[in-house]
Structures are given as structure tokens and as C-alpha cells.
Amino acid sequence: MSPLRTSRLLSEQEVARHCTRDSCWVLRGTRVYDVTGFLRLHPGGDALILRMSGRDIDQQMEGPPHRHSDNARRWMEQYYIGELDRNSCTHKAQTLRERRTTQGTTDGHTQKEERGEEEDSEEEREEEEEESPFSRCSTVDLDKDLVDWAQPLAFQVGHLGEHYDAWVHQPVDRPIRLFGNAFLEANTKTSWYWVPVFWLPIIFYFSWHCFVTLAQDSPQVSLTSDFSIPVHKYMFPLLFALGWFLWSFLEYSIHRFIFHMRPPGHNYYLITIHFLLHGQHHKSPYDGSRLVFPPGLAAVVTGVLYLALHRVLPGVLGDCVFVGGLCGYVVYDMIHYYLHYGSPQRGSYLYSMKAWHVKHHFEHQRAGFGISTTFWDHPFNTVIPKERF
């Protein structure tokens, strides 16, 4: 739930009181933001924001270690709740006190600087307000957009035409309703746990079937008309790993070439299809009900891939590779959900992947297509560039 977007004046004492997970406010210049609802979603973890609660985070927004994107700054405007009342305190002097304390200067010197700052503060504040980029920011009014958020979006987005690509890559923190029909709408939403509940029994069955069949029959793989080699049961892990590896390539390819196709602005139907497949996820990246693929629809796609694989590798060999790929898909879906809603430990593999994926959503939509691994981004030159300061 997004905070109320008002323009009331807030004292520094009031802002400072909101410094817990239950209520956390921060500043950018004189603008006050209630980021309570974003704490658990923050890629760097909630501790980073809580440490800056009640204080100006402009330096942290600029980096290092990370310079926040324009989309991240636009996203933050959704949490704007008011302005800091300059008459309630000497905000600039307080900032100076914190800086001087950190640098270890003497109290007497600090007080002298404070008095000097306070005497000419009024004139400087007026100049700052004219020059500061914050004064030119306006609150985000999501009710005034290219679409009518009070109505289902599925059949609206196609009319955006050439504006669609820019619109869909400006994320918002609000749920999306795709269809007016309750049954259709319900079938576009999937809780994360249905993915393992649906697929893990199938994976266990196929794994058991493949291992037992290899142990009993030891099928032959014909390399030529006169030469063939037996496939032992201990080859199952290698075939399983091959399937998982092939899935990682398929994951990258689907994400890059299908989910991130650029539908022509004049094609209403391709825009609508793209939005239903993936665009809605980029528009509302923290909609928890649409972070995993619905098992029913996934089963249809999986069935087609199963039949195609058996055209190349018939029999139990195809099953061994298939179940490895299916396991890779389930892990991918779970990782994708966790990258959006989890809080991985700093320095861990998933922590780096979460930062990678957030950059893909907010800044580099034409790069960083790997979800469970960045392996394929390297040979295809879609690696997200490192930031330089």
C-alpha cells in the first residue's frame, strides 16, 4: 500500500520519530518520504534505509556504491508525503552538527559554525530552493496517466502505440488489474508455492522412472550404423545436468527475444500480447501474484517442448534431459520470486543476482536477461555495464 501523497508541512522532530520498520521516513532535500512499504523490497536490504531514517539520503542516492537510476527516483516519488518545515528547526545546522561530529571536530568550533550558518541561512535557503533539483520534482499522480487505472489494462495498452515502450518501462508500486472478468483475472495470478506443489511430484516421478529404466534396460545410443554405446544408470546425473544447462539457455532466449521484443507501435495486438506476457511485470515489478508462471499455462508450453525434445532424443534419453530442464525451470521461477521479495545475505550469490535483476528492471531493460545465472549474457554481449564514479 502506497502512502498518502499530501503536501503538508512536517517538523524535523516528527520526521525523526519515524525510524522503525513499522514506520520509516527519509528526506531528500526538504522533501519527506514514507518508505515503510518499500523496506523489505529494497535491493540493498532494509538496514541501509533504516540507518538513514529521518535523514537526507541524497548522497546515498548518488552513490557510490550505486547511483540510483531515473526510474528509481521516479519510483520514490510515489512515497512523497510532504515538505520539511524549515521554521520548526535549523535543519541545515543539524546537518552540519552531524557532519562535524563524524569528523571529530571540537564542540566549540561546531557551535561557531552553526551560528554562522544560522545567521545567513534564510537567504541561502531561498537560493537553494531555486537551484535544487528537488524543488522541481512533482509528486507522482498515478491517477493521471496514459491509461485509466480504474479500468482493466489488458485492452487499453494497445492504444498507447509508440508511447507503450517508454510507459511500460516506468515502473510503479501498485497492483495491476488485467481483465474485468473475475475468472480471467484470477487465472492470471499465481501464488509462488503452487509452482513447486505442481511440478516437484512430476520431477520426482520422471527422475525415478529414468533411473530405473536405465538400470534395467541399459539402452544403446547409436553413433553409426555399426557402432553404439550403452547408457548406464550412472549417466543419469550427466543427462540431468545437460537438461538443466539447456534450460538456462532457453531461459535467456525466452526472456530476451520473446519477453523483451519491441512490438511495433502500430500493432495493437502485439502490444497487448507483450503486456500480458511480460510488460505488466515490468510496469508493476513487485506485484507478488504475478512473479511466477501459472502452472496450467506452463504445462502447455512444457508439453510442446517435451514433444520437440523427443524428436531429437527419443525414449528414456529424452526423458532424462527433459526432467533436468524441468527442474531448472522450477528453480528459475523460485529464484525470480526471491529476487523480488527475498532478502539475501550481503555478499551471497543471490544478493548479487538481486542487484543485477533490479538494474534490469529499473535501468537496463535491454541487458541483463539472465535470471538464475548471468552466464549467457556474456557470450551474447548483454552484460549490464559496471558503474563508474
Side-chain angles (χ1 to χ4, degrees):
M1 181 178 66
S2 298
L4 293 174
R5 295 182 292 275
T6 65
S7 297
R8 68 183 189 271
L9 290 178
L10 301 162
S11 69
E12 186 166 330
Q13 290 80 5
E14 183 178 1
V15 173
R17 285 198 297 269
H18 295 266
C19 58
T20 68
R21 285 183 172 84
D22 295 326
S23 183
C24 180
W25 294 3
V26 295
L27 296 166
R28 286 200 71 201
T30 61
R31 297 175 69 80
V32 183
Y33 302 86
D34 181 352
V35 295
T36 309
F38 185 66
L39 286 177
R40 65 185 300 268
L41 306 178
H42 183 242
D46 59 3
L48 292 178
I49 300 180
L50 287 170
R51 197 157 54 233
M52 295 298 299
S53 60
R55 297 160 62 187
D56 194 321
I57 63 169
D58 184 47
Q59 183 177 348
Q60 284 68 30
M61 293 287 287
E62 293 297 332
H66 170 62
R67 180 182 295 112
H68 289 69
S69 66
D70 290 342
N71 268 337
R73 298 165 195 270
R74 186 181 297 110
W75 176 279
M76 189 172 176
E77 289 303 312
Q78 297 172 103
Y79 306 121
Y80 171 79
I81 57 173
E83 296 287 331
L84 188 68
D85 185 2
R86 290 188 179 278
N87 295 324
S88 67
C89 62
T90 55
H91 174 60
K92 195 167 186 178
Q94 175 65 23
T95 302
L96 180 62
R97 280 198 296 272
E98 293 177 358
R99 184 168 66 248
R100 293 300 185 185
T101 301
T102 302
Q103 294 173 348
T105 57
T106 63
D107 292 340
H109 183 61
T110 301
Q111 292 172 0
K112 182 179 179 181
E113 292 290 339
E114 288 173 11
R115 286 194 298 271
E117 291 292 339
E118 290 173 6
E119 288 174 358
D120 60 353
S121 61
E122 196 63 37
E123 181 179 349
E124 290 184 359
R125 285 168 187 165
E126 292 177 0
E127 294 177 357
E128 286 174 359
E129 288 176 357
E130 293 178 358
E131 299 174 359
S132 172
F134 309 125
S135 65
R136 295 192 295 272
C137 290
S138 59
T139 58
V140 175
D141 188 349
L142 295 177
D143 296 323
K144 296 179 181 179
D145 202 352
L146 297 176
V147 297
D148 182 1
W149 285 89
Q151 301 297 323
L153 297 187
F155 303 115
Q156 293 188 61
V157 294
H159 296 294
L160 295 179
E162 298 295 340
H163 300 289
Y164 169 73
D165 190 67
W167 175 84
V168 82
H169 289 127
Q170 293 180 357
V172 296
D173 184 13
R174 68 180 299 165
I176 286 178
R177 184 174 183 89
L178 293 176
F179 299 104
N181 182 276
F183 178 78
L184 287 178
E185 179 69 8
N187 279 276
T188 67
K189 299 181 178 182
T190 304
S191 298
W192 69 267
Y193 52 80
W194 283 114
V195 173
V197 166
F198 184 88
W199 290 113
L200 285 184
I202 298 175
I203 291 173
F204 290 143
Y205 169 77
F206 265 90
S207 298
W208 171 82
H209 165 74
C210 292
F211 188 80
V212 170
T213 302
L214 291 177
Q216 293 177 348
D217 300 338
S218 294
Q220 304 284 322
V221 176
S222 299
L223 301 179
T224 67
S225 58
D226 300 322
F227 181 73
S228 62
I229 57 173
V231 180
H232 197 270
K233 63 182 179 180
Y234 296 116
M235 289 287 290
F236 172 70
L238 293 179
L239 294 170
F240 186 94
L242 174 62
W244 197 318
F245 179 74
L246 292 176
W247 159 256
S248 69
F249 176 71
L250 192 60
E251 167 196 317
Y252 173 88
S253 301
I254 292 174
H255 191 191
R256 179 180 179 181
F257 298 110
I258 298 179
F259 288 172
H260 278 271
M261 67 173 179
R262 301 183 88 169
H266 64 272
N267 197 314
Y268 171 90
Y269 297 102
L270 277 181
I271 291 176
T272 301
I273 291 172
H274 177 268
F275 186 71
L276 293 176
L277 282 177
H278 196 60
Q280 47 84 17
H281 173 53
H282 268 261
K283 190 62 182 176
S284 181
Y286 292 104
D287 185 348
S289 63
R290 293 194 174 100
L291 289 177
V292 296
F293 218 56
L297 186 57
V300 175
V301 178
T302 301
V304 173
L305 294 175
Y306 177 81
L307 295 175
L309 180 62
H310 269 261
R311 300 283 293 181
V312 181
L313 291 174
V316 68
L317 295 182
D319 288 343
C320 292
V321 175
F322 169 77
V323 72
L326 184 59
C327 186
Y329 158 69
V330 172
V331 171
Y332 145 79
D333 238 357
M334 295 297 94
I335 286 178
H336 183 230
Y337 184 88
Y338 187 74
L339 295 185
H340 282 266
Y341 270 92
S343 298
Q345 184 177 0
R346 180 179 290 272
S348 65
Y349 175 74
L350 288 177
Y351 184 89
S352 64
M353 290 305 300
K354 183 180 179 74
W356 171 276
H357 192 57
V358 169
K359 288 180 181 179
H360 166 75
H361 269 280
F362 282 80
E363 190 170 8
H364 297 282
Q365 293 90 357
R366 306 301 175 192
F369 297 107
I371 306 296
S372 59
T373 176
T374 64
F375 177 83
W376 294 106
D377 283 292
H378 293 273
F380 289 102
N381 197 31
T382 54
V383 175
I384 294 176
K386 293 182 178 180
E387 291 180 290
R388 298 182 183 277
F389 293 90

